[in-house]
């Protein structure tokens, strides 16, 4: 077996490695890079640590990533955390590990521990990553920063037990109450009072299971999005149902905090709940639910569910003539592409198709749109803790929004909605902007 260091040596410790390494790394890179976190093996009784602790624990892809970095700095230039003054620098996430690996090799050692003596990564660096994927989108060498950051974060959380106190509190709330705010499970279906919403029943198949999500269930602005979405689905004659009070958080924040063991427990319970029912697709209006249920549950037994974002479904319904916007809405707005809908799911057109189908709407695109969109800062668990360094990540995006001089910001993400509503007053130009989900704008244009 080739040792860790032998492997690096066999690839060549040379500043020219990237010339042959770049095409090889492109072959090893999945289409949507690093967004899907891998499950961990908790059944390995010999494992003393969890997460990325040593060089020998890096995957082949991680090692190519270290060796192919050309130090262009493009990842750092687009990193929302770095731009907001946080200590996270995606370029140095890669180069520090590479330099450490080579120094260990030069000392003739078989392996190197990232955390012994002086840790390679600090908590503030890892916790600041929103997993937005902008670094990976921009990197000419197909490097997957998020994979390395998240594996190191898992080590920090699971092996060192270091986690922001409010993140630990959020995990407990999700495990005890089924939602990150710790609100009673009994209140989860209150948004539907008086609306005659179909509950899913065993043995009665539906086309769509609408997974409302925690924000949709408990946050007032997002409850409105759910109410508008169900109105549109009913109007279009879509056969759908919801889980009601038995729906629980899908576990996305827990996984991004690095607590894979708790995520595993939550995911297994949700998969069992979903498997009691028959449906063709799960529709979600939160892109984080879309990602976790659609792409990450698939890694577990019986966890294969086809998912669709509500903007994709609504856009299909317009195209099929089942929904026809009637009323003119004379508004100039800009659209914020949520990272987990855009970069991680590849959907940029559906929300724009809906907006363009409404007479009177004028979309004023930000320069940083679609795959170049700047994250609002809530992903990666950042919704549930606030790091002391720099400024709020949302502020840079709000400045870009403010530059468009529009009265409305449209989006399609529960987290983005909560975040922009709570931070818009921090930037003068967006103080009075209205934040609205695409579904709610469409609902207003219906008779
Ligand atoms: S995923 Fe986003 S926040 Fe994390 S390092 Fe990359 S650009 Fe920065
Ligand atoms: S963009 Fe890629 S190649 Fe350039 S510095 Fe970042 S990791 Fe290295
Ligand atoms: S909250 Fe929205 S912008 Fe922020 S990481 Fe999630 S999808 Fe991206």
């Amino acid at each position: 077996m080739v040792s860790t260091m032998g492997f690096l040596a066999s690839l060549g410790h040379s500043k020219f490695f990237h010339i042959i390494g770049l095409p090889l790394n492109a072959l090893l890179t999945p289409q949507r890079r690093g967004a899907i976190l891998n499950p961990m093996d908790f059944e390995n009784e010999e494992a003393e640590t969890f997460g990325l602790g040593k060089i020998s624990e890096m995957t082949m892809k991680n090692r190519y990533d270290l060796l192919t970095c050309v130090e262009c700095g493009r990842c750092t230039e687009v990193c929302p955390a770095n731009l907001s003054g946080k200590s996270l620098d995606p370029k140095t996430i890669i180069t520090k590990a590479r330099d450490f690996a080579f120094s260990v090799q030069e000392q003739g050692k078989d392996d190197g521990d990232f955390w012994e003596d002086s840790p390679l990564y600090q908590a503030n660096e890892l916790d600041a990553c929103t997993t937005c994927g902008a670094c990976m989108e921009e990197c000419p060498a197909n490097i997957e920063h998020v994979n390395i950051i998240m594996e190191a974060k898992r080590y920090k959380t699971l092996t060192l037990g270091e986690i922001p106190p409010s993140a630990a509190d959020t995990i407990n709330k999700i495990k005890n109450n089924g939602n990150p705010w710790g609100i009673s499970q009994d209140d989860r279906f209150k948004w539907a009072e008086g609306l005659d919403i179909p509950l899913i029943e065993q043995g009665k198949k539906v086309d769509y299971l609408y997974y409302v999500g925690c924000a949709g269930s408990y946050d007032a602005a997002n409850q409105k999005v759910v109410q508008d979405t169900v109105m549109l689905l009913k109007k279009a004659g879509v056969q759908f149902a919801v889980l009601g009070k038995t729906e629980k958080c899908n576990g996305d924040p827990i996984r991004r905090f690095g607590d894979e063991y708790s995520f595993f427990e939550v995911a297994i319970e949700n998969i069992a709940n979903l498997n009691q029912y028959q449906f063709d697709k799960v529709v979600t209006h939160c892109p984080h639910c879309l990602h976790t249920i659609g792409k990450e549950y698939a890694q577990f037994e019986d966890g294969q569910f086809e998912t669709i974002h509500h903007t994709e479904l609504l856009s299909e319904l317009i195209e099929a003539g089942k929904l026809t916007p009637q009323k003119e809405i004379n508004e100039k707005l800009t659209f914020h592409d949520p990272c987990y809908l855009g970069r991680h799911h590849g959907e940029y057109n559906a929300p724009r198709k809906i907006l363009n189908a409404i007479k009177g709407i004028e979309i004023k695109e930000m320069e940083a749109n679609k795959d170049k969109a700047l994250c609002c800062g809530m992903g990666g668990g950042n919704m549930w803790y606030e790091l002391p360094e720099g400024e709020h990540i949302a502020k840079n995006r709000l400045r870009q929004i403010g530059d468009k001089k529009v009265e409305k910001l449209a989006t399609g993400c529960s987290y983005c909605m909560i975040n922009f509503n709570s931070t818009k007053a921090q930037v003068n130009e967006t103080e009075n902007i209205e934040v609205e989900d695409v579904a709610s704008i469409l609902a207003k244009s219906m008779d």
Side-chain angles (χ1 to χ4, degrees):
M1 197 178 81
V2 183
S3 73
T4 307
M5 292 303 124
F7 170 83
L8 289 173
S10 70
L11 292 177
H13 177 181
S14 147
K15 64 181 174 180
F16 300 115
F17 174 81
H18 60 267
I19 295 169
I20 53 161
L22 288 177
L24 286 174
N25 212 19
L27 289 175
L28 285 171
T29 307
Q31 205 193 355
R32 303 235 155 261
R33 300 178 223 164
I36 303 167
L37 306 183
N38 294 318
M40 294 172 74
D41 180 9
F42 290 111
E43 285 180 1
N44 178 4
E45 286 173 7
E46 283 166 25
E48 290 172 3
T49 62
F50 293 101
L52 181 57
K54 294 180 184 150
I55 299 166
S56 59
E57 289 161 359
M58 290 193 126
T59 63
M60 175 79 87
K61 174 69 173 83
N62 293 155
R63 296 169 200 210
Y64 271 100
D65 282 351
L66 301 194
L67 291 163
T68 48
C69 176
V70 293
E71 299 193 35
C72 63
R74 283 162 62 177
C75 51
T76 302
E77 282 166 21
V78 296
C79 173
N82 188 276
L83 290 169
S84 305
K86 316 282 182 208
S87 53
L88 171 61
D89 175 345
K91 174 179 150 186
T92 63
I93 291 287
I94 303 302
T95 55
K96 279 196 289 189
R98 179 201 61 195
D99 295 346
F100 176 67
F102 283 134
S103 78
V104 169
Q105 182 185 347
E106 275 157 17
Q107 291 165 43
K109 294 183 191 162
D110 273 348
D111 204 350
D113 190 316
F114 288 130
W115 303 90
E116 228 172 45
D117 305 327
S118 68
L120 202 63
Y121 300 127
Q122 305 304 312
N124 274 358
E125 284 176 84
L126 303 174
D127 289 340
C129 178
T130 69
T131 66
C132 72
C135 49
M136 302 187 291
E137 189 76 37
E138 205 56 36
C139 177
N142 293 300
I143 287 167
E144 293 183 282
H145 312 69
V146 172
N147 186 293
I148 293 174
I149 291 170
M150 280 308 308
E151 287 301 331
K153 199 169 173 183
R154 283 172 166 177
Y155 187 93
K156 178 175 81 62
T157 299
L158 293 173
T159 304
L160 302 179
E162 284 178 23
I163 180 167
S166 59
D169 186 43
T170 303
I171 294 173
N172 286 333
K173 285 174 175 159
I174 292 174
K175 286 165 86 172
N176 296 332
N177 299 78
N179 69 83
W181 289 284
I183 304 171
S184 166
Q185 188 73 22
D186 274 348
D187 294 347
R188 193 166 184 111
F189 199 37
K190 276 199 168 162
W191 63 267
E193 273 170 12
L195 292 181
D196 189 22
I197 304 297
L199 278 171
I200 197 149
E201 290 172 43
Q202 284 182 11
K204 206 170 152 193
K205 183 180 168 292
V206 289
D207 292 339
Y208 295 95
L209 171 70
Y210 183 10
Y211 185 90
V212 171
C214 298
S217 300
Y218 296 109
D219 170 68
N222 278 289
Q223 283 176 334
K224 169 83 171 59
V225 181
V226 180
Q227 288 157 354
D228 289 333
T229 302
V230 293
M231 183 278 280
L232 291 164
L233 296 182
K234 281 182 169 190
K235 203 170 183 70
V238 174
Q239 196 201 16
F240 76 99
V242 300
L243 288 161
K245 284 186 189 176
T246 70
E247 184 189 279
K248 289 188 172 179
C249 174
N250 64 63
D252 159 76
I254 301 184
R255 194 167 224 201
R256 303 321 130 183
F257 293 149
D259 184 354
E260 184 65 12
Y261 190 74
S262 297
F263 173 73
F264 174 75
E265 291 179 327
V266 168
I268 292 302
E269 187 187 338
N270 281 329
I271 289 168
N273 189 24
L274 291 171
N275 276 320
Q276 296 180 78
Y277 306 108
Q278 285 94 47
F279 49 85
D280 287 334
K281 290 184 188 176
V282 179
V283 58
T284 82
H285 79 258
C286 175
H288 298 270
C289 301
L290 181 84
H291 180 83
T292 306
I293 297 172
K295 298 202 172 88
E296 298 193 324
Y297 280 9
Q299 301 161 331
F300 302 106
E301 201 178 340
D302 298 327
Q304 292 70 36
F305 304 107
E306 203 178 328
T307 48
I308 183 168
H309 191 244
H310 72 315
T311 58
E312 295 176 303
L313 178 56
L314 295 174
S315 156
E316 281 176 14
L317 293 170
I318 292 174
E319 220 157 83
K322 294 185 177 166
L323 284 178
T324 308
Q326 304 282 348
K327 292 186 200 152
E328 197 165 322
I329 299 180
N330 286 305
E331 266 173 359
K332 286 189 178 61
L333 55 79
T334 192
F335 179 72
H336 167 74
D337 289 276
C339 318
Y340 273 77
L341 180 62
R343 277 188 290 269
H344 293 324
H345 181 62
E347 184 59 79
Y348 300 108
N349 294 332
R352 290 177 170 83
K353 273 192 196 164
I354 297 171
L355 294 170
N356 283 324
I358 304 169
K359 256 193 234 146
I361 295 250
E362 188 186 335
I363 308 176
K364 308 257 292 179
E365 293 281 5
M366 286 178 267
E367 210 174 298
N369 67 38
K370 300 184 181 169
D371 58 346
K372 304 268 184 261
L374 189 63
C375 172
C376 79
M378 290 291 98
N382 279 266
M383 171 113 168
W384 310 102
Y385 51 77
E386 179 95 44
L387 295 174
E389 305 168 317
E391 62 175 9
H392 198 295
I393 291 180
K395 283 177 90 174
N396 279 324
R397 188 56 163 167
L398 284 166
R399 290 183 188 109
Q400 294 177 351
I401 293 162
D403 285 348
K404 298 319 291 180
K405 305 205 181 325
V406 289
E407 57 257 39
K408 182 167 287 178
L409 167 65
T411 188
C413 170
S414 310
Y415 285 9
C416 301
M417 168 87 83
I418 293 174
N419 191 22
F420 286 130
N421 270 328
S422 65
T423 54
K424 63 183 187 179
Q426 292 182 27
V427 171
N428 288 342
E429 292 75 16
T430 54
E431 202 178 352
N432 298 315
I433 204 163
E434 190 187 353
V435 186
E436 207 167 25
D437 190 277
V438 171
S440 296
I441 302 173
L442 177 62
K444 278 188 193 159
S445 77
M446 306 305 291
D447 267 338

